[in-house]
């Protein structure tokens, strides 16, 4: 039992970590604990917990069908573990879904709001029903320990066949429907994975995966409890799995040939290599290992084949559920550690329940016995040096496990910032020190385009040395510098730059109203003529261009005061120096706004914010350009 | 059916529609977030102006498809295609599975990632205003008439007329494009750029990809049930006969 004990300790630790992460996920929302984004709204939790979980739990329907329908009685010893694995697998899917759904308290909504055009609706119903069926299928096992409830048990056993057939019907539907889910996204999924027969592929692979998963579960528990593995059964299971895998491989390749997409395998992109790896470990390696004369029937090779096949199909589900979409959306996604923690925690929880059931009910013909538990209780005479006496072996185990859980949870909490700032997904503001003056260049929009920032001025106006914390927040996690927008909330709002007084003066005072406001109408912004009534290309003197530059004022969608402030920080000094060093270009717009001159260079992907066009913001390459300030000063002095 | 026609050649990128939308729905100013896509749409910006090279401005918003993928994908019917045209959302039904975001070929719906009770956010074509007989806030605010509101047939005819006048123009959103959309575009630039390089013209409506599979569900369900019962009966019967035969042999022997 030593292996089991150590394994349980590990599982409890993972659960503790997951508990801390789950706490934060439900308190602060999905953005705080995942790397999901608007471009990839489904991630690890859907790909692994749901898609992988359902597929891995396919052993239940495969084995019950083999034993109860096809009457292969020799597999009877593995029915109970297989049904238990399936039940726990589906329960894990449900728990994983609770974490993944944005509004988990609405998880029951598919029961009352019906929408039969949706594949997900069908999956939801099937999973709900099948979870119930699996619970009823397994219930007779724990009920053996309660002789009083014998009637219920007898009823369930009598009607087992109905449950088994119902289970197969439901499994067939939702195993395939998980593939149907992705049929509606032909633009997202890469051609190597998107096929109209995705549901069929999902179903066939679920059967082989079910067989391999049952073998894997048997291998793991045999290892943990130091039992003799049922090699003859495993060999047979793997032989069947090899046949199913062969069928899967043929269908998959035929599909590629029929659709004419087979050339994509050889296109030498990362997708094509990924596809080859997936096919290799999910089908080819297991088939070879399960059928070759050299390797079949040998435990080590069986283990390798099973591990390869199971991880191959998990990879397949992850590919369909997200990885194969990476090239078709413009956002990058890699799961955060917190996502891995929740996924691992859910699996660990299920494994713990599995081990509990094995030890307390007749899942196997005889539950494994813990010799230490059965020793008569004795007080130790001496606590051995270097270890702590935690009580008798039974309670010691509980204490050890709960301690592992608490410590891991505490560790998790210590790693997770709980500020709301972090969960709002605000991006750190990068900052550079600028040449000359006490001005920094900070990327307030976090879009790679920097603006000037007078640190001294902010310091002065916010209260000298007392003011640091206003922006630097006394080093809150993930907050090196507070974004400009935290205080200057109107930075992103467009304001009108129209100066009414000046126009009145230019056009001749009170006499001029009707030039813009048609006579007889209310004088308001709505009724006034548009700017381009006068400012049009016909009269060059009236084109709203900034002096010496092609910038047109009517295209400037930014607050006028903001522009003035930004320019005030540089332009005055620049112009002064430009005259002194006889370099007139040093003071013109294009010195700092190169995109104005080379607009065509600037492509769609450089553009990140529409309200503050980067064209008006100093570009980064300019900042990186290495100019020796001292030399510049010298040259100025010399002149 | 009500509809919006946006003419890219007339848009000057003034953002008035964006602001009108934000005013109407009380959307707070948006800050740059980790989860944003570069197109400017977000849970707080339901429409945005995307700037393309050569001073072309494209207003991005929900296309309100005639046969919306999101509506067919939603497992609880939180998204509905209304008779007036808008695809609207009911947060009270939504369970947050985000299948609509995955299904939308234009990748329009956005999510409240920073909220503990998040909802799907997207343009709803000002459904309430349309019902009152008013036009959407964005088309009302447009100073140049680049984006206009009206009956779909009329706007489609208008778009075709503009295309005839200027053969350079392309029409987006007619029945060839995944069954047609209620938000039409007339453009002299390729709109692929704002939809991840996807050109959906000439493709069938997306619900048709899953519909045949889902239609076969009841038959599969019953079929598997019958098949399994039949298998069980056959195998059981064979075993029984075998046993009877054995016992018969014994009796004879």
């Amino acid at each position: 039992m030593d292996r089991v004990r150590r394994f349980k300790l590990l599982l409890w630790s993972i659960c503790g970590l997951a508990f801390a992460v789950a706490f934060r996920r439900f308190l602060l929302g999905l953005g705080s604990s995942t790397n999901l984004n608007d471009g990839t709204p489904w991630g690890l939790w859907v790909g692994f917990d749901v898609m992988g979980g359902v597929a891995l739990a396919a052993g239940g329907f495969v084995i019950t069908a083999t034993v109860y329908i096809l009457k292969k009685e020799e597999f009877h010893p593995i029915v109970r573990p297989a049904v238990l694995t399936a039940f726990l697998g589906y329960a894990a899917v449900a728990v994983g879904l609770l974490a993944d759904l944005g509004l988990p308290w609405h998880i029951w909504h598919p029961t009352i709001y019906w929408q039969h055009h949706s594949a997900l609706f069908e999956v939801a119903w099937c999973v709900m029903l099948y979870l119930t069926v699996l619970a009823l299928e397994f219930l007779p096992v724990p009920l053996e320990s309660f002789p009083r409830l014998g009637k219920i048990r007898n009823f369930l056993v009598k009607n087992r066949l109905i449950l088994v057939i119902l289970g197969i019907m439901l499994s067939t539907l939702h195993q395939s429907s998980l593939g149907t889910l992705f049929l509606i996204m032909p633009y997202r999924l890469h051609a190597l994975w998107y096929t109209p027969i995705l549901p069929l592929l999902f179903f066939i692979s679920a059967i082989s995966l079910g067989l391999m998963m049952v073998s894997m579960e048997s291998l793991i528990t045999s290892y943990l409890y130091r039992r003799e593995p049922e090699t003859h059964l495993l060999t047979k299971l793997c032989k069947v799995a090899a046949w199913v895998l062969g069928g899967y491989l043929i269908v998959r390749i035929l599909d590629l040939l029929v659709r004419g997409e087979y050339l994509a395998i050889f296109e030498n992109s990362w997708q094509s290599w990924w596809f080859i790896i997936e096919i290799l470990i999910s089908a080819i390696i297991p088939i070879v290992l399960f059928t070759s004369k050299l390797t079949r029937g040998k435990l080590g090779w069986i283990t390798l084949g099973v591990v390869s096949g199971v991880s191959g199909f998990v990879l397949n589900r992850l590919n369909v559920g997200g990885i194969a979409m990476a090239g078709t959306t413009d956002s990058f996604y890699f799961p955060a550690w917190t996502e891995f923690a929740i996924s691992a925690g859910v699996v660990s929880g299920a494994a713990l329940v599995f081990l509990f059931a094995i030890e307390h009910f007749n899942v196997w013909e005889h539950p494994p016995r813990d010799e230490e538990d059965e020793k008569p209780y004795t007080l130790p005479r001496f606590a051995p040096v270097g270890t702590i006496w935690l009580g008798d072996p039974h309670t010691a185990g509980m204490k050890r496990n709960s301690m592992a859980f608490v410590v891991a949870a505490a560790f998790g909490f210590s790693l997770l910032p709980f500020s709301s700032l972090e969960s709002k997904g605000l991006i750190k503001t990068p900052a550079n020190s600028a040449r000359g003056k006490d001005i920094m260049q900070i990327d307030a929009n976090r879009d790679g385009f920097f603006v000037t920032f007078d640190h001294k001025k902010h310091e002065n106006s916010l209260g000298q040395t007392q003011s640091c914390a206003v922006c630097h927040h006394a080093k809150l996690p993930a907050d090196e510098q507070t974004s400009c927008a935290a205080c200057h909330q109107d930075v992103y709002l467009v304001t009108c730059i129209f100066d009414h007084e000046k126009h009145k003066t230019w056009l001749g005072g009170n006499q001029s109203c009707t030039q813009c406001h048609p006579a007889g109408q209310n004088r308001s912004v709505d009724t006034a003529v548009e700017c381009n009534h006068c400012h049009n290309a016909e009269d060059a003197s009236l084109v709203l261009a900034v002096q010496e530059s092609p910038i047109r004022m009517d295209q400037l969608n930014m607050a006028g005061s903001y522009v003035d402030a930004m320019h005030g920080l540089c332009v005055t000094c620049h112009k002064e120096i430009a005259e002194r060093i006889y370099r007139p270009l040093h003071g013109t717009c294009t010195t700092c706004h190169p995109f104005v001159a080379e607009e065509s260079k600037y492509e769609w992907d450089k553009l990140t914010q529409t309200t503050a066009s980067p064209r008006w913001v100093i570009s980064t390459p300019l900042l990186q350009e290495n100019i020796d300030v001292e030399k510049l000063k010298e040259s100025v002095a010399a002149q | 059916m009500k509809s919006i026609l946006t003419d890219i050649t007339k848009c000057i990128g003034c953002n008035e529609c964006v602001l009108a939308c934000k005013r109407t729905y009380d959307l707070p100013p948006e800050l740059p977030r980790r989860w944003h896509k570069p197109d400017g749409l977000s849970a707080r910006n339901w429409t945005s102006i995307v700037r393309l090279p050569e001073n072309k401005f494209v207003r991005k918003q929900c296309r309100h498809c005639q046969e919306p993928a999101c509506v067919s994908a939603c497992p609880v019917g939180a998204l509905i295609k209304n008779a007036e045209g808008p695809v609207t959302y009911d947060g009270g039904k939504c369970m947050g599975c985000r299948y609509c975001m995955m299904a939308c070929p234009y990748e329009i719906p956005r999510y409240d990632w920073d909220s503990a009770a998040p909802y799907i956010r997207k343009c709803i074509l000002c459904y309430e205003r349309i019902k009152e007989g008013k036009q959407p806030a964005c088309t009302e605010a447009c100073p140049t008439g680049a984006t206009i509101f009206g009956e779909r047939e009329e706007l489609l005819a208008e778009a075709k007329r503009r295309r005839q006048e200027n053969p350079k123009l392309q029409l987006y959103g007619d029945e060839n494009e995944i069954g047609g959309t209620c938000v039409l575009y007339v453009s002299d630039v390729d709109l692929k750029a704002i939809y991840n390089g996807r050109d959906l013209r000439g493709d069938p409506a997306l619900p048709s990809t899953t519909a045949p599979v889902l239609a076969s569900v009841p038959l599969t369900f019953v079929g598997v049930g019958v098949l399994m019962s039949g298998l069980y009966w056959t195998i059981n019967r064979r075993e029984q006969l075998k046993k009877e035969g054995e016992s018969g042999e014994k009796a004879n022997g």
Side-chain angles (χ1 to χ4, degrees):
Chain A
M1 298 293 277
D2 53 330
R3 283 176 182 166
V4 186
R5 234 175 254 132
R6 251 175 274 145
F7 190 56
K8 276 188 191 165
L9 206 63
L10 178 72
L11 294 180
W12 276 105
S13 312
I14 297 174
C15 285
L17 197 65
F19 173 78
V21 175
F23 196 82
R24 180 176 141 96
R25 182 255 166 271
F26 289 111
L27 197 70
L28 296 177
L30 283 165
S32 67
S33 353
T34 65
N35 275 349
L36 297 174
N37 53 53
D38 282 331
T40 40
W42 280 4
L44 184 74
W45 291 347
V46 172
F48 178 75
D49 294 26
V50 178
M51 308 258 298
V54 168
L56 291 175
F61 88 94
V62 178
I63 297 297
T64 49
T66 317
V67 174
Y68 294 115
I69 305 286
L70 302 179
K71 297 269 178 184
K72 303 278 182 219
E73 284 296 329
E74 53 194 324
F75 292 106
H76 205 274
I78 52 168
V79 170
R80 285 181 170 192
V83 172
L84 179 60
T85 319
F87 171 68
L88 290 174
Y90 277 88
V93 168
V95 175
L97 257 184
L98 283 178
D100 183 69
L101 289 182
L103 305 164
W105 49 93
H106 285 172
I107 193 171
W108 54 278
H109 272 186
T111 54
I112 53 165
Y113 299 118
W114 285 31
Q115 212 286 78
H116 56 269
H117 296 293
S118 168
L120 195 57
F121 170 77
E122 193 223 311
V123 172
W125 261 98
C126 283
V127 169
M128 268 190 294
L129 290 176
Y130 189 45
L131 191 57
T132 320
V133 167
L134 281 169
L136 293 177
E137 270 185 62
F138 186 69
L139 204 57
V141 179
L143 282 183
E144 280 172 2
S145 316
F146 303 96
R148 276 183 174 187
L149 301 172
K151 270 188 188 166
I152 301 179
R153 186 174 183 275
N154 288 342
F155 177 77
L156 288 174
V157 173
K158 232 187 221 170
N159 294 302
R160 180 182 284 147
L161 191 70
I162 298 172
L163 288 175
V164 167
I165 293 181
L166 201 58
I168 299 167
M169 290 154 80
L170 289 167
S171 290
T172 313
L173 283 196
H174 71 256
Q175 290 288 1
S176 52
S177 289
L178 277 178
T180 320
L181 280 188
F182 294 90
L183 289 184
I184 207 164
M185 333 174 176
Y187 306 103
R188 271 184 179 264
L189 214 54
H190 190 268
L192 283 171
W193 286 273
Y194 184 85
T195 153
I197 60 158
L198 209 51
L200 181 68
L201 288 175
F202 264 50
F203 179 65
I204 305 177
S205 59
I207 294 176
S208 60
L209 186 55
L211 293 165
M212 289 192 282
M213 195 55 201
V214 171
S215 318
M216 182 145 146
E217 167 258 310
S218 167
L219 285 167
I220 292 176
T221 46
S222 307
Y223 170 80
L224 286 178
Y225 290 99
R226 294 182 188 277
R227 264 165 111 239
E228 197 55 41
E230 297 128 329
T231 318
H232 63 287
L233 278 186
L234 296 182
T235 316
K236 274 184 191 162
L237 280 177
C238 290
K239 201 176 143 197
V240 183
W243 277 102
V244 184
L245 282 173
Y248 168 78
L249 200 60
I250 291 169
V251 174
R252 187 118 195 228
I253 287 166
L254 275 181
D255 163 64
L256 281 175
L257 290 173
V258 170
R259 282 189 299 126
E261 296 286 356
Y262 54 92
L263 283 176
I265 305 175
F266 311 106
E267 70 185 11
N268 201 17
S269 61
W270 69 265
Q271 282 104 337
S272 69
W273 282 108
W274 206 232
F275 175 83
I276 292 168
I277 292 172
E278 184 205 303
I279 290 290
L280 206 64
I281 61 173
S282 67
I284 294 174
I285 292 181
I287 290 177
V288 170
L289 289 181
F290 296 158
T291 51
S292 161
K293 267 186 185 171
L294 282 171
T295 52
R296 71 177 174 213
K298 284 176 188 144
L299 204 63
W301 291 114
I302 290 182
T303 314
L304 187 68
V306 164
V307 169
S308 160
V310 169
S311 43
F313 279 113
V314 169
L315 179 64
N316 169 258
R317 297 305 195 261
L318 287 174
N319 280 339
V320 175
I323 298 174
M325 301 179 186
T328 53
T329 59
D330 51 2
S331 10
F332 175 79
Y333 167 79
F334 187 82
W337 75 265
T338 40
E339 286 173 75
F340 286 112
I342 290 270
S343 291
V346 172
V347 174
S348 303
L352 280 172
V353 180
F354 184 83
L355 296 181
F356 176 86
I358 277 194
E359 285 166 24
H360 291 83
F361 307 120
N362 291 326
V363 177
W364 293 337
E365 274 143 19
H366 307 289
R369 279 174 27 217
D370 192 343
E371 295 83 16
E372 273 194 54
D373 264 9
E374 288 162 10
K375 278 183 198 160
Y377 176 72
T378 48
L379 269 176
R381 276 186 286 179
F382 298 102
V385 179
T387 56
I388 302 164
W389 189 66
L390 290 167
D392 67 279
H394 187 61
T395 45
M398 288 183 187
K399 280 178 191 164
R400 223 175 1 243
N401 289 340
S402 34
M403 199 147 76
F405 182 86
V406 172
V407 170
F411 180 64
F413 278 118
S414 75
L415 286 180
L416 292 166
F418 267 83
S419 68
S420 58
L421 198 91
E422 166 85 353
S423 70
K424 282 188 179 140
L426 295 175
I427 308 156
K428 281 184 204 170
T429 310
N432 286 344
S433 62
R435 295 187 302 271
K437 288 192 120 185
D438 200 5
I439 290 174
M440 286 158 66
Q441 263 141 351
I442 59 175
D443 183 3
N445 294 343
R446 291 90 155 184
D447 53 5
F449 294 91
F450 284 66
V451 295
T452 44
F453 172 77
D454 192 335
H455 194 272
K456 198 83 197 159
K457 211 170 174 182
H458 280 78
E459 208 181 302
N460 289 343
S461 64
L462 291 172
Q464 304 297 353
T465 49
Q466 306 294 314
S467 64
C468 304
V470 176
C471 298
H472 295 286
H473 278 232
K475 281 192 181 168
L476 273 184
D479 183 35
E480 280 169 15
Q481 299 87 19
T482 306
S483 124
C484 301
C487 299
H488 301 279
Q489 290 184 351
D490 54 352
V491 145
Y492 298 100
L493 289 180
V494 182
T495 51
C496 185
I497 53 164
F498 179 75
D499 191 335
H500 190 260
E501 280 307 305
K502 271 189 183 167
H503 277 79
K504 211 169 90 182
T505 320
W506 287 330
L507 297 174
N510 284 346
Q511 305 297 316
S512 62
C513 302
T514 47
Q515 286 191 33
C516 301
H517 300 284
Q521 287 188 16
N522 280 341
R523 283 173 190 170
S524 70
V525 184
D526 299 329
T527 56
V529 297
E530 283 165 21
C531 299
N532 58 11
H533 185 76
C534 305
H535 296 283
N536 48 33
E538 284 165 29
D539 188 347
S541 66
L542 279 178
V543 168
L544 288 168
V546 177
Q547 276 183 328
E548 309 154 12
S549 93
I551 300 178
R552 283 171 54 106
M553 291 299 283
D554 54 350
Q555 289 174 355
L556 190 69
N557 41 16
M558 202 180 286
S561 58
Y562 172 74
V563 176
D564 287 344
M566 286 297 125
H567 282 163
L569 289 169
C570 315
V571 174
T572 348
C573 189
H574 257 252
K575 282 193 171 162
E576 224 173 81
I577 291 184
E579 279 177 22
R580 266 193 279 155
I581 62 174
Y582 306 108
R583 276 189 188 166
L585 279 178
H586 200 56
T588 58
C589 304
T590 45
T591 314
C592 299
H593 301 289
F595 289 128
V596 177
E598 313 167 40
E599 210 171 328
S600 56
K601 266 192 185 176
Y602 135 78
E603 293 149 18
W604 150 248
D605 55 348
K606 286 187 190 155
L607 198 158
T608 50
Q609 286 292 312
T610 49
T611 43
S613 165
R615 202 158 62 115
W616 315 117
V617 181
I618 300 175
S619 65
T620 11
L622 199 73
L623 302 174
Q624 286 154 2
E625 192 186 306
N626 219 350
I627 293 178
D628 196 331
V629 183
E630 290 306 315
K631 254 188 190 169
L632 193 71
K633 275 185 187 168
E634 272 171 31
S635 71
V636 171
Q639 282 160 9
Chain B
M1 198 170 283
K2 302 292 183 190
S3 178
I4 282 182
L5 171 65
T6 301
D7 192 335
I8 304 306
T9 54
K10 288 187 175 179
C11 180
I12 56 165
C14 68
N15 273 302
E16 279 298 328
C17 48
V18 179
L19 291 178
C21 177
K22 294 192 100 157
R23 273 195 293 271
T24 312
Y25 295 99
D26 243 343
L27 301 172
E30 185 59 289
L31 304 170
R33 315 282 182 131
R34 173 182 63 70
W35 44 76
H36 282 176
K37 299 223 304 175
D39 59 10
L41 284 184
S42 75
R44 296 180 179 87
N45 287 347
W46 298 354
T47 177
S48 70
I49 301 283
V50 174
R51 215 191 123 107
L52 296 177
E54 293 167 27
N55 274 352
K56 303 288 182 193
F57 301 95
V58 185
R59 181 152 90 89
K60 202 171 174 182
Q61 66 176 115
C62 174
R63 298 288 297 267
H64 300 279
C65 310
Q66 304 274 64
E67 294 177 54
C70 58
V71 171
S72 105
C74 181
V76 289
L79 287 157
I80 302 167
K81 174 77 178 173
N82 291 284
E84 290 91 340
V87 174
T88 56
Y89 169 71
D90 180 358
K93 286 183 180 176
C94 178
M95 57 178 197
C97 68
R98 310 187 291 286
Y99 191 23
C100 50
M101 299 174 74
M102 292 295 282
C104 177
Y106 301 105
E107 296 187 15
I108 295 293
R110 299 296 148 103
Y111 209 50
D112 282 330
W113 294 107
D114 53 342
S115 166
Y119 294 101
I120 293 289
R121 306 282 185 195
K122 70 170 194 71
C123 160
I124 51 170
L125 206 62
C126 286
Y127 184 48
E128 293 299 318
R129 289 173 62 103
I130 289 184
K131 274 204 293 193
E132 287 169 20
K134 288 195 266 183
Q135 60 167 317
C138 51
T139 53
E140 195 179 75
C142 185
T144 61
T147 181
I148 52 174
F149 175 75
E151 286 295 328
R152 187 164 185 276
E153 286 70 36
E154 288 168 21
L155 287 185
L156 205 57
E158 167 68 15
K160 281 177 184 159
R161 191 187 61 74
R162 287 187 196 181
R163 213 175 114 191
Q164 269 179 351
E165 276 178 14
N166 183 354
K168 268 189 193 170
L169 294 180
Q170 301 180 49
L171 171 60
Y172 289 84
D174 61 354
E175 264 59 25
N176 290 327
E177 184 172 342
I178 57 164
T181 66
C182 274
V183 172
L184 309 161
Y185 286 88
V186 173
S187 168
D188 54 352
V189 288
D190 201 337
L191 291 192
K192 260 196 228 168
I194 65 164
Y195 296 125
N196 285 334
R198 296 171 193 165
D199 195 345
L200 276 56
R201 287 173 299 170
D203 290 356
L206 287 167
S208 66
T209 53
T210 51
V213 185
L214 287 171
S216 71
V217 159
L219 194 69
T220 318
F221 189 66
V222 176
V224 171
V226 170
L227 182 72
M228 285 299 141
S229 315
L231 260 178
Y232 173 77
W233 187 83
T234 320
I235 293 172
N236 208 27
R237 177 90 186 136
R238 199 196 287 163
E239 277 194 359
Q240 266 181 1
L241 285 177
K242 209 171 158 191
K243 264 185 203 165
E244 275 170 22
E246 278 172 9
S247 57
E249 272 171 28
K250 269 180 196 168
N252 291 340

